[in-house]
Amino acid sequence: MPPIDLHTLPKDVDVLQKIVVDLCEQLQHESAEKDKYRSLLRELLEAQRNRKSEQLSQEQLKLFEELWKARQPEEASEEPAAAETEGDEKPPETLVKKRPGRQPLAKNLVRERIVHDLAEAEKHCDGCGKDLHLIAEETSERYEYIPAQLKVIEDVCLKYACDCTVKTADKPPQPIEKSTAGASLLAQVIVSKFADHQPLHRQEKIFERHGVEISRKTMGGWMSSAADRLNPLYQAGKRVLFESKVIGTDDTGVKVLDRKLPFARTGRIWPYVGDDQHPVVIYDYTPTRGRDGPSKFLEGYQGYLQADAYSVYDAFLNPHGD
């Protein structure tokens, strides 16, 4: 970079401040780009250090190369723009970038309007003694969080009788009959466990803060019963999955408590992903990584399976060595 000639700088203080702000933003942008490249190089080095089965292939390395080249046109396009600026006689104000403002708060939420007014004694002018008149209002917004609530629903079934018969009104059916958990509570426990990764012992503590004692053993029973109720939905999703021309799969190890062992053993969760025309994901659990799991799940499927080179796939996909 050539030395800066102090005689060529503008004399206006406001213009100088805007130039400094623009330079600071440019330096921050360049720093972010350097951090991005460092992360990219770090991923490449980690891939080289991994064991052979997890190293990147040549096709995967090309993805990094394309990502690297994708940044070059942007940087090249910025250089001519800078050259045009040097020979341009426009004032330096054109170089200043607008800073993005704060994003508006979500419009779909319920809004509560709270008006803050002056006290009646303050609505008079101390100078002239006249009454103050409302001329405008200043509005600001903030988020407030309302904690979840637990409530008890009491189903009262009225009973009628005459000399020869007795009739009792029916209550709405529940997901788990004779259980203390309603549908909304079951949904909360399931979503918290599988979507928010909150194990049952943590949810037990959360309910305690609401003043409700629900043991993890009780919730475990709910999960088992809910799985039986959701099995028709699971089977329907599996039928849609089997209509895919290509199914992608892999296995992930999960820690499982076993009373017969002094330590947590490793189970397996197998996600099966459908193609673009059948965008469903079905999960299957097996206690081991043997071939029986995927072989049983994929029984009857006619199509292509996209997976890694784990040997169990060869056993049932190519039984004749074709």
Side-chain angles (χ1 to χ4, degrees):
M1 177 181 293
I4 299 176
D5 187 359
L6 299 178
H7 298 287
T8 60
L9 293 175
K11 304 300 182 182
D12 192 343
V13 176
D14 294 335
V15 174
L16 288 173
Q17 290 178 344
K18 292 180 180 180
I19 294 176
V20 172
V21 171
D22 183 65
L23 290 174
C24 292
E25 291 181 351
Q26 183 177 356
L27 290 175
Q28 291 177 355
H29 176 73
E30 293 176 355
S31 177
E33 289 295 321
K34 291 180 180 179
D35 292 340
K36 187 174 183 179
Y37 290 143
R38 290 194 189 98
S39 177
L40 183 61
L41 292 174
R42 190 180 301 109
E43 291 180 14
L44 288 171
L45 292 174
E46 288 291 337
Q48 292 298 322
R49 286 195 293 264
N50 286 338
R51 59 184 182 182
K52 186 176 180 181
S53 62
E54 296 180 355
Q55 288 183 1
L56 295 179
S57 63
Q58 293 297 327
E59 290 76 10
Q60 291 172 319
L61 289 174
K62 288 181 180 179
L63 297 177
F64 287 95
E65 182 181 359
E66 292 176 1
L67 177 61
W68 182 278
K69 290 182 178 180
R71 300 299 306 171
Q72 305 309 315
E74 297 181 6
E75 295 176 356
S77 62
E78 291 176 359
E79 293 179 358
E84 292 176 2
T85 306
E86 292 178 0
D88 198 351
E89 296 181 356
K90 292 183 179 180
E93 286 84 351
T94 58
L95 298 176
V96 179
K97 299 179 182 179
K98 293 183 178 180
R99 294 185 177 182
R102 187 176 67 177
Q103 295 294 328
L105 274 60
K107 300 296 183 182
N108 60 310
L109 298 181
V110 176
R111 275 171 162 72
E112 178 181 352
R113 180 180 170 88
I114 301 177
V115 179
H116 305 280
D117 199 359
L118 294 174
E120 291 297 328
E122 297 179 354
K123 294 182 180 180
H124 305 282
C125 178
D126 296 334
C128 64
K130 294 182 178 179
D131 293 337
L132 301 179
H133 302 284
L134 179 64
I135 58 173
E137 62 181 31
E138 296 180 358
T139 303
S140 61
E141 294 182 329
R142 67 179 186 273
Y143 283 121
E144 288 290 346
Y145 178 76
I146 301 176
Q149 296 179 348
L150 283 167
K151 63 180 179 181
V152 177
I153 300 297
E154 182 180 1
D155 290 310
V156 180
C157 300
L158 300 181
K159 184 180 293 187
Y160 295 86
C162 66
D163 295 337
C164 60
T165 187
V166 176
K167 289 184 179 181
T168 305
D170 295 328
K171 67 177 182 178
Q174 298 299 312
I176 305 176
E177 292 297 341
K178 299 181 180 180
S179 171
T180 57
S184 59
L185 181 57
L186 288 175
Q188 171 65 25
V189 174
I190 294 173
V191 171
S192 296
K193 178 175 174 58
F194 293 106
D196 299 335
H197 306 285
Q198 292 288 347
L200 298 183
H201 70 273
R202 292 183 181 174
Q203 296 192 51
E204 182 180 5
K205 297 298 182 181
I206 294 174
F207 288 131
E208 284 182 3
R209 291 198 294 269
H210 289 275
V212 179
E213 294 184 4
I214 303 177
S215 68
R216 67 193 75 176
K217 182 179 179 180
T218 299
M219 287 186 281
W222 294 349
M223 302 293 284
S224 177
S225 299
D228 295 336
R229 304 300 187 275
L230 294 173
N231 186 59
L233 180 62
Y234 179 84
Q235 297 299 332
K238 188 174 180 179
R239 287 193 294 270
V240 175
L241 175 72
F242 275 30
E243 295 175 0
S244 303
K245 293 183 178 180
V246 180
I247 292 179
T249 187
D250 199 355
D251 64 287
T252 301
V254 291
K255 296 297 183 181
V256 181
L257 296 178
D258 193 335
R259 295 181 179 178
K260 299 179 181 179
L261 299 174
F263 54 87
R265 60 179 176 83
T266 301
R268 295 286 167 176
I269 292 181
W270 307 73
Y272 295 91
V273 185
D275 56 24
D276 292 341
Q277 303 301 321
H278 308 85
V280 295
V281 181
I282 304 297
Y283 294 88
D284 187 44
Y285 169 78
T286 59
T288 65
R289 205 187 179 198
R291 59 165 294 207
D292 294 341
S295 178
K296 181 179 179 181
F297 182 90
L298 293 170
E299 183 178 358
Y301 173 65
Q302 300 293 326
Y304 296 96
L305 182 67
Q306 181 178 355
D308 57 18
Y310 186 36
S311 59
V312 299
Y313 302 119
D314 301 332
F316 66 89
L317 288 179
N318 299 306
H320 305 293
D322 300 335

